[in-house]
Amino acid sequence: MKRLYWPHPNDWDIGGMERFYARMARRGWQLEKRGAFFSRFIRKEPEEVCYRVELASSSGNFGEVQLPPEQIQLYEECGWQYVTGRGLVHLFRAPAGSGEPELYDDPRQQADTLQGLRREARHQLIGACVQTAIYLLLVCLNWSGRFADMRITCLQAPTLVPLALILMGSLLAGALHQVISLGRQYRRMRLGQPLDRRPQWGWRTIQGGFWAAGAVCVAFLVWQAVGTRTLMPVAGQVGPCLVLEQLGEEGELTNLPVREGRESSIRVTPLLGGRWWHGQEIRETGSTQASLFQDVYELSSPQAAAELGPILTETATFGWAMETVEVDGLDWAVCGALEAVAVRGNKAACITLLVPVENDEEQRAALMQALTVLAEQWNDPT
Amino acid sequence: MEQQPMTEAMYYVLLALLRPLHGYGLMQRISQLSGGRLTMSPGTLYGILSRLQREGLIRLEDQDARRKTYALTEDGKEALKTEYARLCRLVEDGALLKEEGL
């Protein structure tokens, strides 16, 4: 027997649920079971069926809330077949136009059945607010108060932060709309007006906006992933990046010791108006090792690169004792014990270099040499 | 404490339950007693039955494994008699209308 899983409307959208299941029945899919986000359908002959939602009274417990057997019995004797239920939402079905009485003819009394759902909606809103607050707090703590880290993330994956904000925003907006919508329904029904089953186009538009914005962000991330290439660290074939060979280290390429054995490589990722080169290279000569880690950015303008230089300095892993240095061919450079940052035109780079030397002075000299080679490479017209 | 006036629906539910009945039978009996004037949807009826149960005026009985029926409690009978007496007084007091020629 063919089965189909399909996402269903939210619990608060009672009219939407009823229309959705009736529409599926017209297309030959009969509701079998309802989950948290998806409903399971079974293939049957298309039929005109009317669905009605009955809300159980919340017992205060999480999970399934069953309708009393005597209530189901009464409804079934009136011609409504019990289909399935999950949480507070239970569904009944009757052939369309068969004359079965509506489940309720007194809106004021039916309004009371919304109370459990309203209580759940309020709890969800509180949960969404707390979740968002905790997330924002963790993000702030992770920054260690450094906005520079967020700038780097925004550069490397520009839509990641907006995507997170869209997800948080849609969660909060959805929870808030649920509370407002159910409250409006309840007040309307207490005044004697029947349940409003009309489509909520306003909310659908807002929801569509969230989806569209999220899709754009995801599309960009997919574009980035698809456009990412991995290169071997070979001189002359890695764009603006350095390789250890250029610095006189000609040992054998080896795997990274601390990153689950990943191979030495240079990954090129497209950015908005530029590219990001992320390299990691280790070469072994006998018992000694030289390693080079670098992030090189080709940006849309020299101004962007000039602004990035200090940010790379601030976020450097070994950024202590960084001093400004003069290097021919570079617009700006700083050099520390193990790390250096350089800017030239629309390019900016952060280099971490560890070579087998005797002392810190030699290590620093190796970094200065790397900056010189980098400047020559960036200024080479070929 | 003085009993609050009942709604028409509650009154007819208690009246119909002078004989224990299951839910659908109760709907039909109410329609019969009211001369077709009062018809209740199943959800509305169930809501009234739940409230009357909470107030101790009716109870749920297991007649057999398939069907549950409702029946009046002693409190329910007293409440029904009190309400009936109240309605009778209202009608008696309304005899004034005839005296006034209305």
Side-chain angles (χ1 to χ4, degrees):
Chain A
M1 190 73 73
K2 270 178 116 176
R3 282 186 165 80
L4 173 72
Y5 289 83
W6 203 258
H8 55 238
N10 292 320
D11 286 359
W12 57 264
D13 190 2
I14 295 172
M17 277 193 281
E18 293 171 351
R19 284 193 306 277
F20 169 70
Y21 291 122
R23 189 166 60 243
M24 293 298 284
R26 275 198 296 278
R27 295 175 182 172
W29 293 102
Q30 188 181 96
L31 174 64
E32 196 176 33
K33 196 165 170 59
R34 192 168 182 275
F37 301 105
F38 289 82
S39 288
R40 189 173 77 207
F41 298 86
I42 191 168
R43 194 64 164 150
K44 289 276 172 97
E45 286 296 316
E47 54 181 347
E48 288 291 332
V49 176
C50 184
Y51 277 89
R52 285 293 178 261
V53 169
E54 174 62 288
L55 299 170
S57 301
S58 173
S59 65
N61 300 324
F62 293 106
E64 300 296 321
V65 182
Q66 302 293 334
L67 285 181
E70 57 273 15
Q71 183 176 9
I72 295 175
Q73 173 192 322
L74 173 59
Y75 288 16
E76 290 192 335
E77 284 172 343
C78 290
W80 290 95
Q81 179 195 1
Y82 181 74
V83 181
T84 185
R86 190 193 176 277
L88 298 177
V89 175
H90 295 263
L91 285 141
F92 290 84
R93 156 173 73 210
S98 55
E100 271 75 16
E102 283 290 345
L103 294 186
Y104 288 89
D105 54 17
D106 183 357
R108 289 181 187 83
Q109 190 181 3
Q110 190 180 11
D112 290 339
T113 65
L114 291 179
Q115 296 294 55
L117 208 58
R118 290 183 73 197
R119 197 176 307 118
E120 265 192 9
R122 284 192 292 270
H123 292 163
Q124 284 175 15
L125 178 59
I126 292 170
C129 290
V130 168
Q131 193 175 342
T132 301
I134 291 174
Y135 179 79
L136 290 175
L137 182 65
L138 286 175
V139 168
C140 291
L141 289 175
N142 187 52
W143 291 355
S144 302
R146 297 193 308 184
F147 187 59
D149 289 317
M150 182 57 70
R151 291 285 299 273
I152 296 292
T153 302
C154 290
L155 176 65
Q156 293 174 348
T159 62
L160 205 59
V161 171
L163 186 60
L165 290 174
I166 287 165
L167 286 173
M168 275 195 304
S170 68
L171 182 73
L172 267 177
L176 185 61
H177 176 77
Q178 188 174 205
V179 169
I180 292 171
S181 175
L182 286 172
R184 193 181 295 147
Q185 281 278 31
Y186 178 79
R187 285 188 295 276
R188 171 194 167 92
M189 290 162 77
R190 288 301 297 174
L191 291 173
Q193 296 176 44
L195 180 74
D196 187 356
R197 292 185 160 90
R198 293 173 300 179
Q200 302 204 14
W201 293 114
W203 169 246
R204 284 191 182 186
T205 303
I206 294 171
Q207 204 174 27
F210 278 117
W211 278 104
V216 168
C217 293
V218 169
F220 180 84
L221 291 174
V222 169
W223 171 75
Q224 261 198 325
V226 167
T228 297
R229 295 175 293 136
T230 303
L231 308 170
M232 288 299 293
V234 175
Q237 298 179 17
V238 288
C241 288
L242 284 177
V243 295
L244 285 171
E245 197 179 357
Q246 291 174 285
L247 305 177
E249 301 291 337
E250 295 183 348
E252 197 171 319
L253 271 179
T254 185
N255 292 351
L256 277 65
V258 296
R259 296 190 184 183
E260 300 155 356
R262 283 209 321 238
E263 292 179 349
S264 295
S265 62
I266 293 179
R267 189 181 69 230
V268 188
T269 303
L271 301 175
L272 284 175
R275 283 183 294 183
W276 165 39
W277 306 70
H278 176 73
Q280 48 213 14
E281 182 187 0
I282 298 185
R283 290 187 180 269
E284 274 184 345
T285 308
S287 61
T288 61
Q289 266 188 359
S291 53
L292 173 63
F293 299 93
Q294 59 189 311
D295 285 291
V296 181
Y297 299 89
E298 281 183 334
L299 302 176
S300 55
S301 67
Q303 184 185 356
E307 289 173 359
L308 183 59
I311 293 173
L312 290 173
T313 307
E314 195 178 336
T315 58
T317 308
F318 306 101
W320 58 82
M322 287 271 206
E323 293 175 348
T324 304
V325 293
E326 294 291 330
V327 177
D328 283 341
L330 292 179
D331 296 336
W332 180 83
V334 293
C335 185
L338 296 172
E339 232 160 343
V341 175
V343 175
R344 169 66 177 167
N346 68 332
K347 297 186 187 62
C350 179
I351 302 166
T352 306
L353 177 65
L354 290 92
V355 291
V357 293
E358 298 292 323
N359 52 52
D360 291 347
E361 289 302 316
E362 291 183 17
Q363 172 65 44
R364 189 181 169 84
L367 262 175
M368 287 299 297
Q369 183 204 3
L371 286 174
T372 303
V373 172
L374 189 67
E376 288 170 4
Q377 184 170 316
W378 284 1
N379 288 291
D380 185 352
T382 62
Chain B
M1 192 168 68
E2 191 175 320
Q3 180 178 303
Q4 295 291 321
M6 286 182 195
T7 63
E8 183 182 16
M10 287 171 64
Y11 174 74
Y12 272 97
V13 167
L14 292 177
L15 197 62
L17 285 177
L18 283 171
R19 275 183 269 158
L21 283 169
H22 56 82
Y24 188 65
L26 185 55
M27 281 175 67
Q28 293 175 314
R29 180 78 175 138
I30 289 170
S31 180
Q32 183 186 28
L33 285 174
S34 64
R37 188 172 47 79
L38 185 62
T39 55
M40 262 189 262
S41 57
T44 303
L45 174 60
Y46 185 76
I48 294 172
L49 291 171
S50 297
R51 180 180 168 183
L52 293 174
Q53 245 188 302
R54 279 197 305 274
E55 294 176 358
L57 302 182
I58 65 173
R59 64 176 182 272
L60 196 59
E61 294 178 339
D62 281 328
Q63 285 285 333
D64 54 46
R66 239 173 33 88
R67 263 186 172 169
K68 293 177 187 292
T69 59
Y70 296 89
L72 286 182
T73 61
E74 290 305 316
D75 286 348
K77 287 175 187 169
E78 284 304 313
L80 183 58
K81 283 193 288 189
T82 304
E83 180 67 9
Y84 176 70
R86 186 185 73 86
L87 291 171
C88 287
R89 278 200 306 277
L90 289 176
V91 172
E92 284 167 14
D93 292 345
L96 182 65
L97 286 168
K98 284 192 179 160
E99 292 173 18
E100 295 293 327
L102 292 170

